[in-house]
Amino acid sequence: MKKLSIIIPYHGEPRESVSPLLLSLNSQKNINFNDIEILINNDSTNDNISDVLELCDNLKDVSIITCYNGGGPGPSRQHCLDNSQGDYILFFDADDTLLTNTTLSKILNIITSGMDVYNFKVVWEKIENNELWYQLWGRNLVGVWGKAYRRKFIYENGIQFLPELKHYGEDQYFNLTLNACFPKEISVDLVTYVYTVNNSQFCKPGMSKTSDNKNNSPHDIVRPLQKAYEFISKRIDIELCRRDISLFIYLLYDDYFNKNFTVETKEIMKQDMKKFIHDFDPMLKC
């Protein structure tokens, strides 16, 4: 049994974008590489990772799964999750990186306390107008990055990345439904991860993770929230938890509406979600 599974969806990013993560994994100190596995789902006909891995001596004995399915980040993560063996799961994007060469050692020591979710701090690296700046983020409600998940908890509660949420909202749905199962979780004062951001979406300019904000209608954007609410309503007693669900939906709104949507799009999203909730449960207010 592995202690830690690292899951990386790969979408054909160029070599200069995937190298920092793989090299940072290879340079980790004070760990036994037999305790971890790296699962890469190749979602592209391009392969810019094999030649980088040839430079990574410590990763040669790590289990690396490559599978082509063209399904986007959600199905890619799920495929790796289904093939994982680790007690805990870390999700990375292919163009991100670990903060230091002792990050995994610290994570492996922390996850021995047996919580279901560990929330770590994350540094956002943003390139805007050719300028580079960094921002420190703590716990996030809906993203899967910067967290260690106990694999047993995921499977015992039927948490998954929905296949129909291929390119947008797959991580929101995963994390929101997991939170609805009341995991034992803790926030850790440890910065672990550098997450790249730009104006259009959470990636560096030129990456394949293009902005789905522009490619999806407001109704599509709300869909992960609707799916998460369906899951939540089946798992808990709505009669006893209406107030909690209302707060939950409010936090969802807050996360989505702080993003760079137009006023018109935000209003369509709000009305679409309210109508869905009212139709599903007329007594619930949000």
Side-chain angles (χ1 to χ4, degrees):
M1 178 69 73
K2 302 290 185 179
K3 294 181 180 179
L4 192 64
S5 297
I6 297 172
I7 291 177
I8 308 169
Y10 172 72
H11 310 291
E13 291 90 340
R15 173 174 175 167
E16 61 269 20
S17 298
V18 300
S19 294
L21 175 58
L22 296 176
L23 294 176
S24 71
L25 288 168
N26 185 66
S27 68
Q28 293 300 297
K29 298 183 180 298
N30 304 322
I31 68 169
N32 182 348
F33 279 88
N34 292 323
D35 289 336
I36 69 172
E37 62 176 358
I38 299 174
L39 299 94
I40 300 175
N41 190 93
N42 192 336
D43 196 37
S44 168
T45 56
N46 297 326
D47 181 5
N48 295 311
I49 55 176
S50 295
D51 56 344
V52 179
L53 290 172
E54 291 179 0
L55 304 175
C56 302
D57 293 337
N58 288 325
L59 305 187
K60 293 186 182 300
D61 296 328
V62 175
S63 174
I64 299 176
I65 294 178
T66 303
C67 177
Y68 301 85
N69 61 19
S76 293
R77 291 190 185 108
Q78 187 62 46
H79 177 79
C80 291
L81 188 58
D82 291 339
N83 287 277
S84 64
Q85 302 178 37
D87 293 330
Y88 283 87
I89 306 293
L90 290 177
F91 295 105
F92 291 140
D93 287 342
D95 58 347
D96 299 328
T97 187
L98 292 169
L99 185 66
T100 72
N101 60 6
T102 59
T103 296
L104 285 188
S105 173
K106 294 175 181 176
I107 291 176
L108 286 167
N109 287 331
I110 290 171
I111 61 176
T112 57
S113 63
M115 304 296 287
D116 297 319
V117 181
Y118 294 87
N119 299 286
F120 300 104
K121 292 184 177 180
V122 176
V123 172
W124 282 31
E125 178 188 76
K126 185 168 183 177
I127 302 172
E128 184 176 5
N129 298 325
N130 296 321
E131 294 184 359
L132 180 65
W133 59 272
Y134 294 91
Q135 184 173 3
L136 181 64
W137 281 70
R139 179 176 182 267
N140 71 90
L141 286 170
V142 295
V144 297
W145 37 267
K147 300 182 179 183
Y149 299 91
R150 191 161 67 95
R151 186 167 62 92
K152 183 178 179 181
F153 184 86
I154 292 173
Y155 279 100
E156 284 181 344
N157 290 280
I159 309 300
Q160 61 177 321
F161 294 94
L162 289 185
E164 60 263 40
L165 299 177
K166 294 182 178 181
H167 298 288
Y168 192 90
E170 77 292 335
D171 54 344
Q172 286 94 331
Y173 174 85
F174 180 90
N175 212 44
L176 291 169
T177 53
L178 183 138
N179 286 337
C181 295
F182 305 105
K184 296 183 296 182
E185 61 179 312
I186 188 173
S187 295
V188 182
D189 189 18
L190 174 67
V191 182
T192 60
Y193 186 65
V194 179
Y195 191 72
T196 54
V197 188
N198 69 20
N199 278 340
S200 61
Q201 185 63 343
F202 301 152
C203 61
K204 294 178 181 176
M207 297 300 95
S208 61
K209 295 184 293 181
T210 56
S211 173
D212 286 295
N213 296 358
K214 299 177 181 178
N215 300 327
N216 288 282
S217 73
H219 305 291
D220 292 330
I221 295 170
V222 171
R223 193 179 183 195
L225 309 187
Q226 297 172 339
K227 290 291 184 181
Y229 182 76
E230 290 178 2
F231 181 96
I232 295 166
S233 65
K234 294 174 183 177
R235 285 301 187 104
I236 63 179
D237 188 336
I238 293 182
E239 197 64 39
L240 297 177
C241 302
R242 279 196 169 91
R243 181 177 179 181
D244 291 339
I245 296 177
S246 296
L247 175 60
F248 193 65
I249 296 299
Y250 170 79
L251 293 173
L252 278 160
Y253 280 146
D254 184 61
D255 175 75
Y256 271 83
F257 293 166
N258 278 330
K259 294 183 179 179
N260 191 26
F261 297 118
T262 65
V263 174
E264 292 79 10
T265 296
K266 290 180 181 180
E267 184 60 30
I268 294 173
M269 291 167 59
K270 183 182 296 185
Q271 297 305 320
D272 198 42
M273 192 64 188
K274 284 186 175 181
K275 181 180 184 303
F276 170 83
I277 294 174
H278 182 270
D279 292 345
F280 200 92
D281 178 10
M283 293 184 65
L284 181 61
K285 306 296 182 182
C286 65

